Coordinates of all heavy atoms in Angstrom, one line a residue:
G266 N 0.8 -1.2 0.0 CA 0.0 0.0 0.0 C 0.8 1.3 0.0 O 2.0 1.3 0.4
G267 N 0.2 2.4 -0.4 CA 0.9 3.7 -0.4 C 2.1 3.7 -1.3 O 2.3 2.9 -2.2
E268 N 2.9 4.8 -1.1 CA 4.0 5.0 -1.9 C 5.3 4.3 -1.3 O 6.3 4.3 -2.0 CB 4.3 6.5 -2.0 CG 3.3 7.3 -2.8 CD 3.3 6.8 -4.2 OE1 4.4 6.6 -4.9 OE2 2.2 6.5 -4.7
G269 N 5.2 3.8 -0.1 CA 6.3 3.2 0.5 C 7.3 4.2 1.0 O 7.2 5.4 0.8
F270 N 8.4 3.6 1.6 CA 9.4 4.5 2.2 C 10.6 4.7 1.2 O 11.5 5.5 1.5 CB 9.9 3.9 3.5 CG 9.0 4.3 4.7 CD1 7.7 4.3 4.5 CD2 9.6 4.6 5.9 CE1 6.9 4.6 5.6 CE2 8.8 4.9 7.0 CZ 7.4 4.9 6.8
L271 N 10.7 4.0 0.1 CA 11.8 4.1 -0.8 C 11.5 5.4 -1.6 O 10.5 5.5 -2.2 CB 11.9 2.9 -1.7 CG 12.1 1.6 -1.0 CD1 12.3 0.5 -2.0 CD2 13.2 1.7 0.0
M272 N 12.5 6.3 -1.6 CA 12.3 7.6 -2.3 C 12.2 7.3 -3.8 O 13.1 6.7 -4.4 CB 13.5 8.5 -1.9 CG 13.4 9.9 -2.6 SD 14.8 10.9 -2.2 CE 14.4 11.2 -0.5
E273 N 11.2 7.9 -4.4 CA 11.0 7.7 -5.8 C 11.8 8.8 -6.5 O 11.6 10.0 -6.3 CB 9.6 7.8 -6.2 CG 9.3 7.5 -7.7 CD 7.9 7.4 -8.0 OE1 7.1 7.0 -7.0 OE2 7.5 7.6 -9.1
R274 N 12.8 8.4 -7.3 CA 13.7 9.4 -7.9 C 13.7 9.2 -9.4 O 13.5 8.1 -9.9 CB 15.1 9.2 -7.4 CG 15.3 9.3 -5.9 CD 16.7 9.1 -5.6 NE 16.9 9.1 -4.1 CZ 17.0 8.0 -3.4 NH1 16.8 6.9 -4.0 NH2 17.1 8.1 -2.1
Q275 N 13.8 10.2 -10.1 CA 13.9 10.2 -11.6 C 15.2 10.9 -11.9 O 15.3 12.1 -11.7 CB 12.7 10.8 -12.3 CG 12.7 10.6 -13.8 CD 12.3 9.2 -14.1 OE1 11.6 8.5 -13.4 NE2 12.6 8.8 -15.3
T276 N 16.2 10.3 -12.4 CA 17.4 10.9 -12.8 C 18.0 10.3 -14.1 O 18.0 9.1 -14.3 CB 18.5 10.8 -11.7 OG1 19.7 11.4 -12.1 CG2 18.8 9.4 -11.3
D277 N 18.5 11.2 -14.9 CA 19.2 10.8 -16.1 C 20.7 10.8 -16.0 O 21.4 10.7 -17.0 CB 18.7 11.6 -17.3 CG 18.9 13.1 -17.1 OD1 19.5 13.4 -16.0 OD2 18.5 13.9 -17.9
G278 N 21.2 11.0 -14.8 CA 22.6 11.1 -14.5 C 23.2 12.5 -14.8 O 24.4 12.7 -14.7
T279 N 22.4 13.5 -15.1 CA 22.9 14.9 -15.3 C 23.3 15.5 -13.9 O 22.9 15.0 -12.9 CB 21.8 15.7 -15.9 OG1 20.7 15.9 -15.0 CG2 21.3 15.1 -17.2
S280 N 24.0 16.6 -14.1 CA 24.5 17.3 -12.9 C 23.4 17.7 -12.0 O 23.4 17.6 -10.8 CB 25.4 18.4 -13.3 OG 25.8 19.2 -12.2
K281 N 22.4 18.3 -12.6 CA 21.2 18.8 -11.9 C 20.5 17.7 -11.1 O 20.1 17.8 -10.0 CB 20.3 19.5 -12.8 CG 19.1 20.2 -12.1 CD 18.2 21.0 -13.1 CE 17.0 21.6 -12.3 NZ 16.2 22.4 -13.3
G282 N 20.3 16.5 -11.8 CA 19.6 15.4 -11.2 C 20.4 14.8 -10.0 O 19.8 14.6 -9.0
L283 N 21.7 14.6 -10.2 CA 22.5 14.1 -9.1 C 22.5 15.1 -7.9 O 22.4 14.6 -6.7 CB 23.9 13.8 -9.6 CG 24.1 12.7 -10.6 CD1 25.5 12.6 -11.0 CD2 23.6 11.4 -10.0
T284 N 22.6 16.3 -8.2 CA 22.7 17.3 -7.1 C 21.4 17.4 -6.3 O 21.4 17.5 -5.1 CB 23.0 18.7 -7.7 OG1 24.2 18.7 -8.4 CG2 23.1 19.8 -6.6
G285 N 20.3 17.3 -7.0 CA 19.0 17.3 -6.3 C 18.9 16.1 -5.4 O 18.4 16.2 -4.2
I286 N 19.3 14.9 -5.8 CA 19.2 13.7 -5.0 C 20.1 13.8 -3.8 O 19.7 13.5 -2.7 CB 19.6 12.5 -5.8 CG1 18.5 12.2 -6.9 CG2 19.7 11.2 -4.9 CD1 18.9 11.1 -7.9
I287 N 21.3 14.3 -4.0 CA 22.3 14.5 -2.9 C 21.7 15.5 -1.9 O 21.8 15.2 -0.7 CB 23.6 15.0 -3.4 CG1 24.3 13.9 -4.3 CG2 24.6 15.4 -2.3 CD1 25.4 14.4 -5.1
W288 N 21.1 16.6 -2.3 CA 20.6 17.6 -1.4 C 19.4 17.0 -0.6 O 19.4 17.2 0.6 CB 20.1 18.8 -2.2 CG 19.3 19.8 -1.4 CD1 18.0 20.1 -1.5 CD2 19.8 20.5 -0.3 NE1 17.6 21.0 -0.5 CE2 18.7 21.3 0.2 CE3 21.1 20.7 0.3 CZ2 18.8 22.2 1.3 CZ3 21.2 21.6 1.4 CH2 20.1 22.3 1.9
R289 N 18.5 16.2 -1.2 CA 17.4 15.6 -0.5 C 17.9 14.6 0.6 O 17.2 14.4 1.6 CB 16.4 14.9 -1.5 CG 15.6 15.9 -2.3 CD 14.5 15.2 -3.0 NE 14.9 14.2 -3.9 CZ 15.1 14.4 -5.2 NH1 15.0 15.6 -5.7 NH2 15.5 13.4 -6.0
N290 N 19.0 14.0 0.3 CA 19.5 13.0 1.3 C 20.4 13.7 2.3 O 20.8 13.0 3.3 CB 20.3 11.9 0.6 CG 19.3 10.9 0.0 OD1 19.0 9.9 0.7 ND2 18.9 11.1 -1.2
S291 N 20.9 14.9 2.1 CA 21.9 15.5 3.0 C 21.3 16.5 4.0 O 21.6 16.4 5.2 CB 22.9 16.3 2.2 OG 23.6 15.4 1.3
W292 N 20.3 17.3 3.6 CA 19.9 18.4 4.5 C 19.2 17.8 5.8 O 19.4 18.4 6.9 CB 19.0 19.4 3.8 CG 17.6 19.0 3.5 CD1 17.0 18.6 2.4 CD2 16.5 19.0 4.5 NE1 15.7 18.3 2.5 CE2 15.3 18.5 3.8 CE3 16.4 19.4 5.8 CZ2 14.1 18.4 4.4 CZ3 15.2 19.2 6.5 CH2 14.0 18.8 5.8
P293 N 18.4 16.8 5.7 CA 17.8 16.3 6.9 C 18.8 15.7 7.9 O 18.7 15.9 9.1 CB 16.8 15.2 6.5 CG 16.6 15.4 5.0 CD 17.9 16.0 4.5
V294 N 19.9 15.1 7.4 CA 21.0 14.6 8.2 C 21.7 15.7 8.9 O 22.1 15.7 10.1 CB 21.9 13.7 7.4 CG1 23.0 13.2 8.3 CG2 21.2 12.6 6.8
L295 N 22.0 16.8 8.1 CA 22.6 18.0 8.7 C 21.8 18.6 9.8 O 22.3 18.9 10.9 CB 22.9 19.0 7.6 CG 23.5 20.3 8.1 CD1 24.9 20.1 8.8 CD2 23.7 21.3 6.9
G296 N 20.5 18.7 9.5 CA 19.6 19.2 10.5 C 19.5 18.3 11.8 O 19.5 18.8 12.9
L297 N 19.5 17.0 11.6 CA 19.5 16.1 12.7 C 20.8 16.3 13.6 O 20.7 16.3 14.8 CB 19.4 14.7 12.2 CG 19.2 13.5 13.2 CD1 18.4 12.4 12.6 CD2 20.6 12.9 13.7
M298 N 21.9 16.4 12.9 CA 23.2 16.6 13.7 C 23.2 17.9 14.4 O 23.7 18.0 15.5 CB 24.4 16.5 12.7 CG 24.5 15.1 12.0 SD 25.9 15.0 10.9 CE 27.2 14.8 12.1
L299 N 22.6 19.0 13.8 CA 22.5 20.2 14.5 C 21.6 20.1 15.7 O 21.9 20.7 16.8 CB 22.0 21.3 13.6 CG 23.0 21.8 12.5 CD1 22.3 22.7 11.5 CD2 24.1 22.5 13.1
L300 N 20.6 19.3 15.6 CA 19.7 19.1 16.7 C 20.4 18.4 17.9 O 20.2 18.7 19.0 CB 18.4 18.4 16.3 CG 17.5 19.2 15.4 CD1 16.4 18.3 14.9 CD2 16.8 20.3 16.2
N301 N 21.2 17.4 17.5 CA 22.0 16.7 18.5 C 22.9 17.6 19.2 O 23.1 17.5 20.4 CB 22.8 15.5 17.8 CG 22.0 14.2 17.7 OD1 21.5 13.7 18.7 ND2 21.9 13.7 16.5
F302 N 23.5 18.5 18.5 CA 24.4 19.5 19.0 C 23.6 20.4 20.0 O 24.1 20.7 21.1 CB 25.0 20.4 17.9 CG 25.8 21.5 18.4 CD1 27.1 21.3 18.9 CD2 25.3 22.8 18.5 CE1 27.9 22.4 19.3 CE2 26.0 23.9 19.0 CZ 27.4 23.7 19.4
V303 N 22.4 20.8 19.7 CA 21.6 21.7 20.5 C 21.3 20.9 21.8 O 21.3 21.5 22.9 CB 20.3 22.1 19.8 CG1 19.3 22.8 20.7 CG2 20.7 23.1 18.7
V304 N 20.9 19.7 21.7 CA 20.6 18.9 22.9 C 21.8 18.8 23.9 O 21.6 19.1 25.1 CB 20.2 17.4 22.5 CG1 20.1 16.5 23.8 CG2 18.8 17.5 21.8
G305 N 23.0 18.5 23.4 CA 24.1 18.4 24.2 C 24.5 19.8 24.8 O 24.9 19.9 26.0
Y306 N 24.4 20.9 24.0 CA 24.7 22.2 24.5 C 23.7 22.6 25.6 O 24.1 23.2 26.6 CB 24.6 23.2 23.3 CG 24.9 24.6 23.7 CD1 26.3 25.0 23.8 CD2 23.9 25.5 24.0 CE1 26.6 26.3 24.2 CE2 24.2 26.8 24.4 CZ 25.5 27.2 24.5 OH 25.8 28.5 24.9
T307 N 22.4 22.3 25.4 CA 21.4 22.6 26.4 C 21.7 22.0 27.8 O 21.6 22.6 28.8 CB 20.0 22.2 26.0 OG1 19.7 22.9 24.7 CG2 19.0 22.6 27.0
D308 N 22.1 20.7 27.8 CA 22.5 20.0 29.0 C 23.6 20.7 29.7 O 23.6 21.0 30.9 CB 22.9 18.6 28.7 CG 21.7 17.7 28.4 OD1 20.6 18.1 28.5 OD2 21.9 16.5 27.9

């Protein structure tokens, strides 16, 4: 059911396509690491 958790991507291997995929996989991780930093700093 549903769309599933696997990210649906369409890429032809161009610079723009690869960059978009990298960005979608990078910014949430960077945000998560910043949040971990905030938690430790608050303590």
Side-chain angles (χ1 to χ4, degrees):
E268 289 300 310
F270 275 39
L271 303 185
M272 180 181 290
E273 187 168 334
R274 307 180 181 94
Q275 188 78 23
T276 177
D277 55 5
T279 63
S280 174
K281 184 177 179 180
L283 293 178
T284 301
I286 294 172
I287 293 168
W288 171 247
R289 288 195 297 271
N290 279 269
S291 300
W292 77 258
V294 180
L295 177 59
L297 188 148
M298 297 181 75
L299 287 171
L300 290 172
N301 272 306
F302 174 81
V303 169
V304 168
Y306 180 83
T307 301
D308 287 351

